[in-house]
Amino acid sequence: MANQVIINTDIQKGKINKNIYGHFAEHLGRCIYEGIWVGEDSSIPNTKGIRNDVLAALQNIKVPVLRWPGGCFADEYHWKDGIGPKENRKRMVNTHWGGVVENNHFGTHEFMLLCELLECEPYICGNVGSGTVQEMSEWVEYMTFEGESPMANWRRENGREEPWKLKYFGVGNENWGCGGNMRPEYYADLYRRYQTYVRNYGNNKVYKIAGGANVDDYNWTEVLMKNAHWLMDGLSLHYYTVPGDFWLGKGSAVDFPEDEWFITMKKALHMDELITKHSTIMDKYDPQKRIGMIIDEWGTWFDVEPGTNPGFLYQQNTIRDALVAGLHFNIFHNHADRVQMTNIAQTVNVLQSMILTEGEKMILTPTYHVFDMYKVHQDAELLAVDSSFGTYELNGETLPQVTVSASKNAEGKIHVSLCNIDHQNGAEVDLELRGLNAANTKVSGTIITAETMNAHNTFEQPDTVKPTEFTGAAVANNKLAIKLPAMSVVTLVIE
């Protein structure tokens, strides 16, 4: 079957929110401590304790929003322990993740500094599981109140005169599980209560995000929307791509057979069904799509690397992860009317990371490079695309071999991103640009691909998998003829 794509360059379907390219950094393993925060006394070059190499890498991919402090950690985090002179801060045991003792040196002020350096929006997740309404309310006051109050005065004592701008605030996390093992009816009532005291001070307007469903728990979405939709701005959804059994063995990040490649692609593509079905429930209560779907945890979850702390969730990152990222972005783009933010898990050294560090060394993962290739879609207008693709088949199962999305930016440039998930076969794609004369266009592109299914970057060989110039697109008969290698992600620029 021929692979055919028609892009209607003059039909725009709405903006792709740049926050779809958001990130998530939890107090887990070596994400915050070592990965982002090394402290001001470290021999590793840093800016007020934040690693310069990691900072520069994240600035390059234009991180739009960063979620913190969790995750499961959020529902046992008490913010007052992480402010004031560092030598006086309480040490705490991170019971969720490896039982390590944390010194609380990375707290509210340090996180807000990180966001300022990245020029991104902070997204803070509050503690509903083990915290009080007062604690959450006072945190928002501490950060955003500019007048005279005990919390604002305390912020000033701790060195910050002006309030911060805080747009995104999550009222709890995974309250169906690690955030309290609650029923949706109970959490809906708690959400209604807690969010009441997440105040808007001055001209700071908080976008309140309710803790949403795990995977396909459609009842959770139904109950939350029915009982609290008018009190929320966003509703979250969590879904991880796990080839194996979550509890019995997820599969290796690097040493996997071809059937695990296939099932990983199949499970990544499942995100489309989840968004569609949860959106349908949301549409019933919110037909205007005022409430954003916030997919604030997604990505691959494999077994930890051999010899590492099982509670640190440290995994390598291969060309397979690059394809998973590209597939998700194409899906998110095509649901841009409802999906307003996503946050990949996680930024450094945890799960599907952008960056891996080892002491003073740092490497960029294949996933990082896909974020870099796709950043051109941030805040661009989604274009209407019609497509039909051949199949990728293994052991009697089939998947669409190619996925695509396209956008037009403010300068009028068109960007088309394609993923060929077949680990063995290339794909030839005919791409028609309606509303544009292809013969008068200039086409360039970037590709990330590899020779082997498990190709990855190491500290010894950091550039094994990296983007290169794509030369496989040519204009013929007012169409683009595109040759995609096996297991590749391509972004084209048409101008």
Side-chain angles (χ1 to χ4, degrees):
M1 177 180 169
N3 297 305
Q4 295 184 315
V5 177
I6 298 170
I7 297 177
N8 295 286
T9 64
D10 49 358
I11 301 178
Q12 299 181 359
K13 300 185 72 178
K15 183 179 282 194
I16 296 169
N17 194 320
K18 67 180 179 181
N19 291 331
I20 281 173
Y21 291 87
H23 294 262
F24 169 36
E26 184 170 11
H27 289 245
L28 195 174
R30 298 186 301 114
C31 182
I32 296 289
Y33 296 102
E34 289 189 44
I36 293 171
W37 177 263
V38 290
E40 294 171 77
D41 299 331
S42 174
S43 60
I44 296 171
N46 66 85
T47 300
K48 296 183 179 177
I50 296 166
R51 286 183 73 129
N52 288 346
D53 52 357
V54 170
L55 195 58
L58 295 176
Q59 287 167 336
N60 177 59
I61 55 172
K62 294 183 164 59
V63 172
V65 61
L66 182 60
R67 179 174 182 247
W68 172 86
C72 293
F73 182 83
D75 280 294
E76 62 176 7
Y77 181 66
H78 300 287
W79 69 271
K80 293 178 184 178
D81 295 342
I83 59 172
K86 292 187 177 64
E87 63 274 12
N88 297 341
R89 296 185 190 180
K90 282 186 188 174
R91 293 161 68 81
M92 67 171 289
V93 178
N94 190 335
T95 53
H96 277 294
W97 305 119
V100 295
V101 176
E102 295 199 3
N103 61 18
N104 260 316
H105 283 191
F106 191 91
T108 303
H109 288 253
E110 291 74 25
F111 172 67
M112 292 306 235
L113 169 66
L114 172 61
C115 292
E116 287 177 357
L117 292 169
L118 290 174
E119 297 182 4
C120 76
E121 294 279 1
Y123 168 15
I124 285 182
C125 191
N127 181 345
V128 170
S130 70
T132 63
V133 174
Q134 180 180 355
E135 180 182 32
M136 185 179 290
S137 176
E138 289 182 340
W139 199 4
V140 175
E141 180 188 333
Y142 182 91
M143 290 184 283
T144 65
F145 187 62
E146 62 183 345
E148 181 83 14
S149 82
M151 291 300 114
N153 290 345
W154 195 13
R155 182 191 71 237
R156 293 184 187 100
E157 284 174 33
N158 290 327
R160 175 77 185 194
E161 180 64 33
E162 296 299 315
W164 290 286
K165 287 287 177 213
L166 175 67
K167 185 169 184 181
Y168 300 105
F169 194 89
V171 182
N173 167 76
E174 293 194 354
N175 300 97
W176 38 260
C178 64
N181 291 300
M182 301 174 193
R183 298 176 307 119
E185 295 81 3
Y186 181 72
Y187 172 69
D189 284 343
L190 271 191
Y191 173 79
R192 288 169 60 146
R193 179 182 171 214
Y194 274 70
Q195 68 79 35
T196 303
Y197 304 94
V198 176
R199 304 283 194 199
N200 292 323
Y201 294 109
N203 60 3
N204 189 78
K205 177 79 168 69
V206 179
Y207 183 103
K208 298 174 188 177
I209 299 168
N214 185 33
V215 192
D216 57 359
D217 185 351
Y218 301 115
N219 180 56
W220 186 280
T221 299
E222 173 75 34
V223 171
L224 262 289
M225 289 298 294
K226 180 181 179 181
N227 291 296
H229 67 89
W230 64 96
L231 296 171
M232 66 177 78
D233 300 300
L235 181 64
S236 72
L237 172 66
H238 290 180
Y239 173 63
Y240 287 95
T241 300
V242 184
D245 182 280
F246 190 85
W247 299 111
L248 300 179
K250 302 174 186 71
S252 168
V254 174
D255 299 316
F256 53 88
E258 64 179 10
D259 64 323
E260 279 188 24
W261 171 284
F262 185 92
I263 196 168
T264 301
M265 298 303 140
K266 179 182 176 183
K267 290 194 170 184
L269 288 165
H270 183 55
M271 179 63 90
D272 188 58
E273 177 184 321
L274 294 173
I275 294 173
T276 300
K277 290 184 174 178
H278 283 289
S279 291
T280 301
I281 298 166
M282 294 175 76
D283 287 346
K284 186 164 74 169
Y285 298 97
D286 176 36
Q288 288 78 37
K289 300 188 191 294
R290 179 189 66 82
I291 299 168
M293 183 182 289
I294 310 296
I295 304 172
D296 51 19
E297 291 189 31
W298 68 273
T300 56
W301 194 328
F302 305 123
D303 296 328
V304 300
E305 292 306 308
T308 65
N309 186 323
F312 281 13
L313 308 188
Y314 177 82
Q315 64 190 43
Q316 251 294 356
N317 199 290
T318 69
I319 188 65
R320 177 174 63 160
D321 295 86
L323 264 299
V324 169
L327 287 183
H328 276 80
F329 287 140
N330 287 344
I331 292 167
F332 295 154
H333 290 175
N334 292 323
H335 288 280
D337 58 343
R338 180 63 85 180
V339 177
Q340 297 302 324
M341 185 197 300
T342 85
N343 309 77
I344 192 170
Q346 290 188 18
T347 313
V348 190
N349 291 331
V350 172
L351 298 176
Q352 192 175 347
S353 308
M354 304 296 105
I355 293 165
L356 302 177
T357 70
E358 196 174 87
E360 76 288 350
K361 291 186 281 191
M362 178 198 85
I363 55 173
L364 306 175
T365 66
T367 298
Y368 173 94
H369 293 307
V370 172
F371 270 76
D372 195 23
M373 290 167 59
Y374 271 70
K375 69 186 178 187
V376 292
H377 295 291
Q378 290 189 18
D379 278 348
E381 291 291 330
L382 180 69
L383 294 177
V385 175
D386 295 308
S387 60
S388 60
F389 295 115
T391 55
Y392 167 39
E393 186 171 346
L394 192 72
N395 301 331
E397 278 198 275
T398 59
L399 298 171
Q401 184 184 359
V402 179
T403 76
V404 62
S405 66
S407 70
K408 182 186 285 187
N409 70 10
E411 289 80 49
K413 288 183 184 177
I414 293 168
H415 293 98
V416 182
S417 290
L418 301 124
C419 298
N420 176 13
I421 64 173
D422 194 318
H423 71 288
Q424 289 180 314
N425 300 300
E428 295 191 2
V429 179
D430 282 339
L431 192 153
E432 184 181 343
L433 294 163
R434 292 202 176 154
L436 205 64
N437 185 346
N440 297 334
T441 60
K442 189 177 104 185
V443 181
S444 56
T446 307
I447 183 171
I448 189 165
T449 187
E451 296 296 318
T452 58
M453 285 191 303
N454 68 347
H456 57 282
N457 297 330
T458 65
F459 293 98
E460 295 72 36
Q461 294 179 300
D463 295 320
T464 301
V465 185
K466 66 177 183 179
T468 56
E469 183 185 2
F470 179 65
T471 56
V475 178
N477 303 322
N478 206 34
K479 291 183 180 179
L480 286 180
I482 303 164
K483 293 184 177 180
L484 300 174
M487 47 189 185
S488 65
V489 180
V490 168
T491 293
L492 298 174
V493 187
I494 300 166
E495 52 188 320

XYZ file of all heavy atoms in Angstrom, residues 17 43 52 70 99 144 176 183 192 256 267 309 326 337 374 381 388 397-398 406 412:
165
model
N -0.171 24.100 21.674
C 0.336 24.768 22.873
C 1.787 24.353 23.116
O 2.100 23.163 23.164
C -0.535 24.388 24.080
C -0.305 25.278 25.277
O 0.825 25.657 25.577
N -1.369 25.606 25.994
N 32.604 21.302 42.509
C 33.642 21.564 41.502
C 33.040 21.561 40.095
O 33.675 22.011 39.143
C 34.740 20.506 41.593
O 34.192 19.212 41.357
N 25.631 24.041 35.125
C 25.626 24.860 33.914
C 25.427 24.046 32.640
O 24.774 24.498 31.695
C 26.937 25.649 33.802
C 27.025 26.769 34.819
O 26.034 27.142 35.440
N 28.228 27.311 34.998
N 6.955 16.639 42.439
C 6.554 15.281 42.116
C 5.235 15.340 41.377
O 4.687 16.433 41.161
N 14.604 5.319 49.687
C 14.849 5.508 51.115
C 16.058 6.360 51.432
O 16.631 6.267 52.519
N 3.283 34.104 45.965
C 2.631 35.047 45.037
C 2.057 36.307 45.677
O 1.623 37.208 44.938
C 1.492 34.337 44.270
O 0.464 33.947 45.204
C 2.002 33.112 43.527
N -5.387 8.480 43.410
C -5.926 7.122 43.328
C -4.898 6.085 43.797
O -5.239 4.928 44.017
C -6.345 6.801 41.884
C -5.419 7.352 40.840
C -5.601 8.482 40.109
C -4.149 6.809 40.414
N -4.526 8.687 39.251
C -3.625 7.680 39.412
C -3.404 5.684 40.778
C -2.409 7.446 38.775
C -2.190 5.454 40.153
C -1.695 6.339 39.167
N -10.806 7.004 46.620
C -11.846 6.797 45.618
C -12.078 8.125 44.879
O -11.840 9.193 45.440
C -13.153 6.362 46.288
C -13.069 5.040 47.034
C -14.373 4.718 47.759
N -14.777 5.835 48.626
C -15.914 6.520 48.482
N -16.760 6.209 47.514
N -16.208 7.502 49.301
N -12.339 19.905 45.654
C -13.196 21.090 45.774
C -12.806 21.914 46.999
O -12.776 23.150 46.946
C -14.666 20.652 45.874
C -15.216 20.135 44.568
C -16.559 19.459 44.716
N -17.582 20.358 45.259
C -18.859 20.324 44.919
N -19.263 19.451 44.005
N -19.723 21.150 45.459
N 16.820 -5.870 24.223
C 15.442 -6.314 23.982
C 15.339 -6.938 22.593
O 16.035 -6.538 21.658
C 14.468 -5.132 24.109
C 14.814 -3.936 23.268
C 14.353 -3.842 21.961
C 15.595 -2.901 23.777
C 14.673 -2.739 21.176
C 15.915 -1.802 23.004
C 15.459 -1.716 21.690
N 2.143 0.049 22.288
C 1.689 0.666 23.543
C 1.830 2.188 23.508
O 1.026 2.903 24.105
C 2.433 0.058 24.733
C 2.016 -1.388 24.986
C 2.473 -1.899 26.341
C 1.834 -3.250 26.644
N 2.176 -3.726 27.998
N 20.418 1.419 41.877
C 19.387 1.375 42.918
C 18.007 1.228 42.267
O 17.618 2.068 41.458
C 19.460 2.673 43.742
C 18.531 2.665 44.950
O 17.425 2.140 44.909
N 19.001 3.274 46.033
N 8.595 10.761 19.388
C 8.011 11.303 18.164
C 6.564 10.882 17.971
O 5.701 11.693 17.583
N -6.664 20.508 20.391
C -7.841 21.222 20.887
C -8.105 20.927 22.358
O -8.705 21.743 23.063
C -9.078 20.874 20.053
C -9.391 19.383 20.028
O -8.494 18.563 20.368
O -10.527 19.018 19.658
N 11.617 18.762 17.319
C 10.193 19.104 17.316
C 9.887 20.476 17.917
O 8.737 20.921 17.870
C 9.401 18.048 18.087
C 8.909 16.855 17.282
C 9.788 15.900 16.782
C 7.549 16.666 17.054
C 9.334 14.794 16.076
C 7.084 15.564 16.351
C 7.974 14.630 15.860
O 7.515 13.542 15.161
N 0.598 26.789 14.360
C -0.774 26.414 14.021
C -0.791 25.016 13.402
O -0.081 24.744 12.431
C -1.364 27.423 13.030
C -1.623 28.801 13.623
C -2.763 28.809 14.637
O -3.696 27.989 14.504
O -2.711 29.642 15.572
N -2.775 8.136 4.529
C -2.998 6.682 4.531
C -1.625 6.021 4.424
O -0.792 6.424 3.602
C -3.900 6.268 3.365
O -3.314 6.618 2.135
N 0.563 -9.422 13.873
C -0.036 -8.158 14.316
C 0.418 -7.039 13.408
O 1.535 -7.073 12.878
C 0.390 -7.833 15.755
C -0.414 -8.536 16.833
C -0.238 -7.847 18.183
O 0.745 -8.160 18.870
O -1.070 -6.992 18.538
N -0.447 -6.032 13.224
C -0.074 -4.913 12.364
C -0.297 -3.577 13.064
O -1.192 -3.424 13.898
C -0.896 -4.908 11.057
O -2.282 -4.814 11.382
C -0.625 -6.145 10.229
N 1.755 18.152 11.148
C 2.323 19.306 10.451
C 1.810 20.591 11.076
O 0.695 20.644 11.594
C 1.954 19.265 8.970
N 5.323 31.704 8.654
C 4.767 31.041 7.480
C 5.498 29.784 7.064
O 5.130 29.148 6.068
